[in-house]
Amino acid sequence: MIRIDDLTKVYDAKTGPVLDRVSLTIGEGDIHGIIGRSGAGKSTLVRCLNGLVQPTSGKIVVSGLEISRLSGASLRTARRDIAMIFQHFSLLSSRTAAGNIALPLEIAGVPKDEIRRRIPVLLDVVGLSQKADAYPSELSGGQKQRVGIARALALDPKVLLSDEATSALDPETTEQILALLKDINRRLGLTIVLITHEMDVVRQIASHVTVLEGGKCIETGPTFDVFAFPKSFVARSFLSSIVAHDLPPQVQQRLLPSPGAESDPVLRIVFTGEAAHDPVIATLVEQFRIRPNILHGRIDYIDDRPLGILTLIAEGGAPVIDRVLAYLSSLGLYGEVIGHAVRPAAAGARRSAS
Ligand SMILES: Nc1ncnc2c1ncn2[C@@H]1O[C@H](COP(=O)(O)OP(=O)(O)OP(=O)(O)O)[C@@H](O)[C@H]1O
Ligand SMILES: [Mg+2]
């Protein structure tokens, strides 16, 4: 549905590119999250997608049309397929909910009868049938965003761009709006590009994710894969509140990069669904004679698939660790030795010696 090739945007030659050779693909019917810190270039990227910002170089194709080459009337026509919702809703305060939703239809020259027929349908899609005549000042944040979504859907777009559309909402309302977007995505087959700085938004609804940092695309792929095996430090740090990739600092302090005389391997096991019911821990104890000291663990559901990460000190496991890794791999689990923990007694002895 969307192809971005080598997209570069320079606003000011002195400060360098805001987008730096970004390439990614977004499939039809995907919910694609774009995540990055403030200033990473997320809003610039979506503005390039709907032609509001002209790229310095590179190519953007949306639904077969090269947006980056269009201008004037042909760009306006192409934009009908690309709707957008915003953090602060951007509703007209002088118009009712129905009036706001009618606006893009009026601008597109849709006949009045047709508009009158479409408004109740659109209000129903977003669950606001009772609020047709309410003004924005009489609506809650969540209801305003529902009006924004209905307005965005008015011209039957193929792509919905969302720039931080839930950032001004409380957690419960955020969840309701995300559920609505997912529902619209399923029912209408609408492709959604979701800009956010919250990994939890990505976890809840995105099928794919791209991580932007300093204008560069540093990771892109199915959400589950990026969450389970993040390659970049930035992705890991975004994920730290959601997935247990990193260890508590007090444990990290005790880790050595290579085995010492008085150390045990620290094992990280990633469960990605299928084998999650195997008695792995019992096997470690009974077959390998390891005393697992569990440091950290949790199971999350990403895109409806379970992802479990368990970190443990494999006490007494140093001599058998290669066989343990082979055993995990035979189950289809990902095992990794992330360090070596000094035994607390040895750590104490070292401290008093120095
Ligand atoms: N119209 C503009 N002219 C000049 N510089 C701009 C313009 N728009 C954005 N920038 C700069 O481009 C960089 C990226 O901005 P952008 O708004 O795309 O970031 P963002 O990832 O959306 O950040 P945030 O999470 O804060 O919304 C920033 O350094 C910003 O100052
Ligand atoms: Mg932004």
Side-chain angles (χ1 to χ4, degrees), residues 115-131:
I115 295 179
R116 258 197 296 277
R117 201 186 55 75
R118 287 239 348 111
I119 299 284
V121 178
L122 289 161
L123 281 165
D124 183 51
V125 168
V126 299
L128 271 192
S129 296
Q130 309 302 315
K131 296 287 182 184

Side-chain angles (χ1 to χ4, degrees), residues 42-43 163-164 195:
K42 306 179 297 293
S43 294
D163 193 354
E164 303 279 9
I195 302 289

Side-chain angles (χ1 to χ4, degrees), residues 50 79-86 89-91 97-98 100-105 118-119 122-123 125-126 144-163 165 180-181 184 188 190-192:
N50 68 4
R79 259 198 211 137
R80 283 193 195 174
D81 282 340
I82 310 167
M84 186 144 170
I85 54 174
F86 307 89
F89 325 121
S90 307
L91 302 180
N100 270 285
I101 299 169
L103 195 64
L105 295 159
R118 287 239 348 111
I119 299 284
L122 289 161
L123 281 165
V125 168
V126 299
K144 281 185 226 179
Q145 194 55 285
R146 284 171 194 270
V147 175
I149 293 170
R151 181 186 55 189
L153 296 178
L155 291 170
D156 277 331
K158 295 196 176 99
V159 177
L160 178 65
L161 307 176
S162 161
D163 193 354
L180 173 63
L181 290 175
I184 290 167
L188 311 178
L190 189 70
T191 305
I192 299 180

Side-chain angles (χ1 to χ4, degrees), residues 46-65:
V46 275
R47 286 194 202 114
C48 288
L49 282 179
N50 68 4
L52 280 177
V53 164
Q54 189 67 31
T56 306
S57 63
K59 189 167 140 181
I60 299 172
V61 179
V62 179
S63 183
L65 283 175

Side-chain angles (χ1 to χ4, degrees), residues 253-256 262 341-354:
Q253 281 167 12
R254 278 175 50 203
L255 288 196
L256 301 172
E262 296 278 342
V342 184
R343 296 200 184 117
R350 274 201 321 177
R351 248 197 310 281
S352 53
S354 64

